Amino acid sequence: MSNAAQESFKTKLGNWALALLTFLIFIGGWEAIVRWLDVPVIILPPPSAILVASWKSFSAGELLFHTAVTMYEVLMGFLLGSICGLLLGFGIALSPLAERIFYPYIIAFQTVPKVAVAPIIVIWFGYGVSSKVIITATIAFFPLLANTIMGLRAAPQDQIDMLVTCTASRWQVFRLVRLPQALPYVFVGLDVAIVLSVIGAIVGEFVGAKAGLGYLILQKNFSFDMPGTFVVLIILSVLGVGLHWIISYLQRRIVFWIDVAGERVTGA
Amino acid sequence: MTMASTPDSASSAASPRNRDDNALVQIADLQMHYRTRDGNDIHALKDVNLKIGESEFVSIVGPSGCGKTTLLRILSGVLARTSGDVTIAGRQLKGPSPEIGVVFQAPILLPWRTVFENVMIPVEVQGRNREQFGARARQLLAMVGLQGFEDKYPSELSGGMQQRVGICRALVHDPSFLLMDEPFGALDAMTRESMNEELQRIWRDSQKTILLVTHSIPEAVYLADRVVVMTPRPGKIVEIIDVDLPRPRLLSMQNTPEFGRFVTAIRRHFNSEGVLDA
Ligand SMILES: Nc1ncnc2c1ncn2[C@@H]1O[C@H](COP(=O)(O)OP(=O)(O)OP(=O)(O)O)[C@@H](O)[C@H]1O
Ligand SMILES: [Mg+2]
């Protein structure tokens, strides 16, 4: 290992240690304050109670089941919404006619709050997972659409001219420059969409469901099980962070020419 | 498209760099107007007349904004002229041609492609043999001093190195007509001189026709058979100077009085225009 690599390894280790220490102090402080001030569990449960509740919930099998249901809704909705957004984005970016025909409806659709539409969708598609998938898809759709359109129009004119002087066809210009230039934008869209998808699934479950983490939260709330509610909230945020992390990882691998700060590296 | 000479010019082989009606490139009464966003009209090129013979080396000098890039963009087929006749190898210029290679003022590399893949863009676009031209791409990269950088990405290269990659890309498909827009502007003086020698050698060996835009008057004189002097507002040709210095030319020639006379003759135009350049 070179000196510089050794240095960076040390800094990384230090950062991890610092993060862990901060977390432990936070948890410890929380526990101490709740015990010291004698806060009722129904207001704010101590971390220890949450830990116990999560073990109970997990061993009863309910946690895994409801997490799987919500995961399914999030992923299917995300896929459906992103693919639709991506395809329509291509159509609109490539055809001014498609833009004139579809765009007004899309804007109108986007201005309607999805939470307000959710009850209708539940009535149409029932209390099962399909209504949640649809609600999630309507939310994941727009970030992909907007970013795909912007990305496909982002190619610098001089790169296009360079290809045209090499006698490139329209299709070659699209494949060699427009598409790669759109990728960073598409990933921004995916990142926004995946986080919104988690919210979408939970909103759908709040409106009416028979399973899922949103359903579980409502149940715990009705039975005044505060530690149980917290367990679900923690699972949800871990889920969100994990999905975001997967997208970021793919982004760093696929759109490798853009540096971390989001700064464009033009290379020219 | 082949740029093979007609039987006529083949018979006049004694003067291959002719400027008669068989010239490879013929530009007649070329006009270019740009319309800006706010509706203004910019007269970028006015009454440009120029003939370039086969295998001739022509340099263009002129102050910033006199329409040099505009002229090259028209010849490369990406910019439609307002009026005038442009024929290349006897054909009206209508669009880009695989027989033309262009070195741009900026390198314009694609950041997601390695150096080698960037050089191969014309080969890929024109569907040429990858193996044969791949070998040529490596040769060209070695020639401009970029051996070992084939698999690096543009962001890992200095500005001057990127510009040299752009030069290789213009040469890789072996075009017979080369358009170069200030190709050496981003290079240090030493690299620039060796690139000048290299370009002279490429031109001599390959019989290419070259049109080179440069800000450096000595560079223009050193390389060219003729130097075209342009002035701005509106961009037009004020003089075309024959450089009849013997070939092959050595860099040391730049210190001779004969060489100096050409430089002075060109510089005079810019002094009288009140624009001191280079
Ligand atoms: N796309 C455009 N739209 C409007 N005006 C333009 C455009 N491109 C160039 N011009 C104008 O045309 C004139 C000539 O520009 P051009 O780029 O050809 O100059 P140049 O001789 O290459 O200058 P430089 O030496 O600085 O590169 C300038 O006045 C410029 O403002
Ligand atoms: Mg220019």
Side-chain angles (χ1 to χ4, degrees):
Chain A
M1 205 189 282
S2 76
N3 243 351
Q6 218 162 12
E7 273 306 304
S8 98
F9 181 70
K10 263 189 203 158
T11 350
K12 255 189 195 156
L13 208 66
N15 286 347
W16 274 105
L18 195 67
L20 188 67
L21 193 69
T22 317
F23 179 73
L24 288 178
I25 289 174
F26 174 71
I27 296 293
W30 178 355
E31 183 83 33
I33 288 171
V34 169
R35 278 168 192 259
W36 185 43
L37 296 178
D38 220 3
V39 181
V41 171
I42 189 72
I43 304 291
L44 182 67
S48 56
I50 295 172
L51 202 67
V52 170
S54 62
W55 174 247
K56 265 198 247 164
S57 195
F58 175 75
S59 49
E62 60 169 15
L63 204 55
L64 230 53
F65 168 70
H66 292 288
T67 305
V69 169
T70 300
M71 261 309 248
Y72 176 82
E73 293 162 358
V74 169
L75 290 181
M76 292 313 277
F78 169 73
L79 279 180
L80 185 67
S82 332
I83 290 172
C84 290
L86 208 62
L87 290 181
L88 206 61
F90 272 95
I92 286 176
L94 299 180
S95 145
L97 184 69
E99 173 162 20
R100 249 171 295 148
I101 294 175
F102 292 122
Y103 217 64
Y105 297 103
I106 291 166
I107 295 299
F109 172 74
Q110 181 58 15
T111 5
V112 177
K114 299 301 167 303
V115 184
V117 186
I120 305 174
I121 294 178
V122 171
I123 288 173
W124 284 347
F125 293 92
Y127 283 81
V129 286
S130 45
S131 59
K132 284 43 168 208
V133 170
I134 303 283
I135 292 167
T136 305
T138 60
I139 294 182
F141 165 79
F142 196 74
L144 261 297
L145 175 85
N147 281 287
T148 305
I149 294 175
M150 205 149 67
L152 286 173
R153 290 181 177 165
Q157 190 58 42
D158 57 357
Q159 290 184 356
I160 296 172
D161 284 351
M162 181 271 291
L163 278 177
V164 170
T165 62
C166 302
T167 69
S169 63
R170 263 177 68 101
W171 162 242
Q172 283 174 323
V173 169
F174 179 78
R175 190 168 54 84
L176 296 175
V177 168
R178 284 195 202 278
L179 208 56
Q181 286 287 9
L183 276 180
Y185 291 82
V186 170
F187 269 103
V188 170
L190 287 174
D191 199 15
V192 174
I194 194 77
V195 175
L196 290 181
S197 290
V198 178
I199 298 174
I202 297 302
V203 165
E205 288 170 359
F206 274 5
V207 172
K210 290 178 286 199
L213 292 174
Y215 165 83
L216 196 60
I217 286 189
L218 289 184
Q219 250 198 357
K220 301 278 177 198
N221 244 323
F222 285 139
S223 56
F224 300 105
D225 180 358
M226 205 48 133
T229 309
F230 267 73
V231 171
V232 181
L233 288 180
I234 290 168
I235 299 276
L236 275 175
S237 52
V238 169
L239 229 154
V241 171
L243 290 170
H244 160 78
W245 188 86
I246 291 172
I247 299 282
S248 309
Y249 176 79
L250 289 175
Q251 174 177 24
R252 276 196 307 274
R253 296 302 299 265
I254 295 172
V255 198
F256 59 89
W257 63 92
I258 306 290
D259 76 8
V260 197
E263 194 72 18
R264 307 286 301 277
V265 179
T266 59
Chain B
M1 168 166 141
T2 54
M3 299 212 167
S5 49
T6 58
D8 267 14
S9 68
S11 62
S12 61
S15 61
R17 293 181 190 132
N18 50 13
R19 282 149 229 158
D20 58 24
D21 287 343
N22 293 321
L24 176 75
V25 183
Q26 304 197 27
I27 303 167
D29 303 323
L30 177 63
Q31 305 278 349
M32 184 68 211
H33 291 264
Y34 284 112
R35 190 156 287 283
T36 57
R37 271 174 218 282
D38 42 19
N40 285 331
D41 182 276
I42 293 179
H43 200 171
L45 290 175
K46 182 179 189 294
D47 301 327
V48 171
N49 288 284
L50 181 66
K51 286 179 181 174
I52 304 172
E54 206 154 317
S55 305
E56 192 180 16
F57 198 128
V58 174
S59 296
I60 301 180
V61 293
S64 188
C66 70
K68 305 181 295 292
T69 297
T70 302
L71 179 59
L72 254 58
R73 278 168 56 79
I74 290 172
L75 290 175
S76 68
V78 287
L79 182 64
R81 56 191 180 273
T82 307
S83 68
D85 275 334
V86 181
T87 61
I88 297 183
R91 259 175 262 198
Q92 274 286 333
L93 174 75
K94 288 214 195 69
S97 150
E99 279 301 319
I100 293 178
V102 186
V103 182
F104 302 88
Q105 207 163 351
I108 318 183
L109 306 179
L110 304 182
W112 52 86
R113 288 181 157 238
T114 63
V115 165
F116 178 74
E117 290 166 346
N118 265 289
V119 174
M120 290 292 278
I121 288 174
V123 175
E124 210 174 306
V125 166
Q126 294 164 16
R128 294 173 190 249
N129 185 316
R130 272 194 75 85
E131 235 162 82
Q132 180 192 343
F133 285 92
R136 186 177 154 81
R138 287 180 200 286
Q139 265 172 20
L140 286 167
L141 282 168
M143 185 191 79
V144 299
L146 288 177
Q147 197 155 31
F149 287 90
E150 290 88 350
D151 298 326
K152 295 257 186 289
Y153 285 92
S155 57
E156 301 170 278
L157 267 54
S158 73
M161 290 159 104
Q162 293 183 14
Q163 188 60 21
R164 281 180 272 161
V165 176
I167 294 170
C168 294
R169 183 185 55 203
L171 288 168
V172 72
H173 55 298
D174 203 13
S176 53
F177 186 24
L178 200 55
L179 298 168
M180 308 180 88
D181 197 352
E182 293 177 41
F184 308 132
L187 303 181
D188 62 280
M190 247 119 56
T191 315
R192 189 171 187 149
E193 290 199 332
S194 74
M195 294 295 290
N196 279 345
E197 282 185 301
E198 205 54 61
L199 184 58
Q200 182 178 223
R201 197 188 56 71
I202 291 173
W203 170 73
R204 231 187 32 234
D205 294 352
S206 62
Q207 295 289 299
K208 288 185 197 312
T209 307
I210 299 182
L211 185 59
L212 168 90
V213 168
T214 175
H215 269 139
S216 156
I217 296 174
E219 183 173 274
V221 174
Y222 172 72
L223 287 166
D225 295 319
R226 285 188 296 154
V227 177
V228 174
V229 184
M230 293 181 69
T231 53
R233 280 176 299 274
K236 58 181 179 301
I237 296 176
V238 285
E239 195 182 357
I240 300 179
I241 295 174
D242 281 280
V243 182
D244 45 13
L245 295 168
R247 292 200 186 258
R249 295 175 188 161
L250 305 172
L251 285 169
S252 57
M253 250 184 206
Q254 303 200 0
N255 305 318
T256 61
E258 295 79 41
F259 194 94
R261 265 200 292 280
F262 288 111
V263 172
T264 313
I266 295 166
R267 189 160 283 150
R268 203 189 57 224
H269 286 287
F270 304 137
N271 289 336
S272 65
E273 291 277 326
V275 238
L276 255 174
D277 211 289

